[in-house]
Amino acid sequence: MFPTTNLKAFILSFLMLGVMFSCKNEAKTATSPTQDNAGTEEVEKQGQAFIEDDGSTPNVLQIAMGSPDHSTLVAAVQAAELENALVNAGPLMVFAPTNEAFAALPEGTVEDLLKPENKAALANILKYHVTAGNYSKEFLMKFKKLGQANDQNVAVEVVGEDVLVGGAKILASVPAGNGIVHVVDKVMLPPTE
């Protein structure tokens, strides 16, 4: 016969196995059509960015996707294939340029960056807009620089009541489930080395 503690451990282990095997582990995925020489083929996108969840606080990517003022940013994130990076646990601080900020770039710049052959340059620019952390505009006033996700630093300036990050003024801030989105009025371009 089993001693009482061993019997309890055996029953608990058996119940845990039953619970594990009875749970469904299904992930929803999104697909996007791509063209190849043979015709149309579906490519499955995988990762956390493509799991639908209506119950939790939106993450930084979901906030951008839900904003009509950030459709260019979302298109850029998708072209650079950085969706999954923006849904990580974080915390992440995203400085999100508006469509108007992208339109202020020299003509043809956005279209050129969205080309597949410029994916690495686009990813570098987008990562320059992301910092580890979750700091309010007011707390950012204490900083002189921030270390960005592309391994470069960006200057933080305070001009009156305004906070400028890389010369881009923070217009608004939206808390996210995995950090914060600071809406900015300019696309920050990383320094060339």
Side-chain angles (χ1 to χ4, degrees), residues 107-153:
E107 188 175 335
T109 301
V110 173
E111 294 78 11
D112 193 45
L113 284 169
L114 293 176
K115 293 178 181 174
E117 60 267 21
N118 295 325
K119 180 178 164 183
L122 177 61
N124 184 51
I125 292 169
L126 293 172
K127 289 176 183 178
Y128 193 62
H129 289 78
V130 179
T131 305
N134 185 357
Y135 306 130
S136 67
K137 175 183 168 182
E138 291 73 26
F139 194 74
L140 286 172
M141 291 179 169
K142 299 177 182 184
F143 288 81
K144 296 291 181 199
K145 66 180 178 179
L146 296 169
Q148 302 303 88
N150 73 337
D151 293 328
Q152 291 182 300
N153 292 323

Side-chain angles (χ1 to χ4, degrees), residues 48-111:
Q48 286 182 318
F50 305 101
I51 296 173
E52 295 179 23
D53 176 15
D54 296 331
S56 61
T57 304
N59 60 51
V60 293
L61 179 61
Q62 291 167 328
I63 288 170
M65 291 175 77
S67 168
D69 294 328
H70 291 93
S71 58
T72 306
L73 175 63
V74 171
V77 167
Q78 291 169 337
E81 297 180 359
L82 293 175
E83 299 102 317
N84 285 317
L86 293 177
V87 299
N88 284 333
L92 300 174
M93 226 175 356
V94 175
F95 299 97
T98 61
N99 292 341
E100 196 174 289
F102 279 100
L105 292 172
E107 188 175 335
T109 301
V110 173
E111 294 78 11

Side-chain angles (χ1 to χ4, degrees), residues 163-174:
V163 176
L164 284 73
V165 178
K169 183 169 114 178
I170 296 177
L171 303 173
S173 301
V174 182

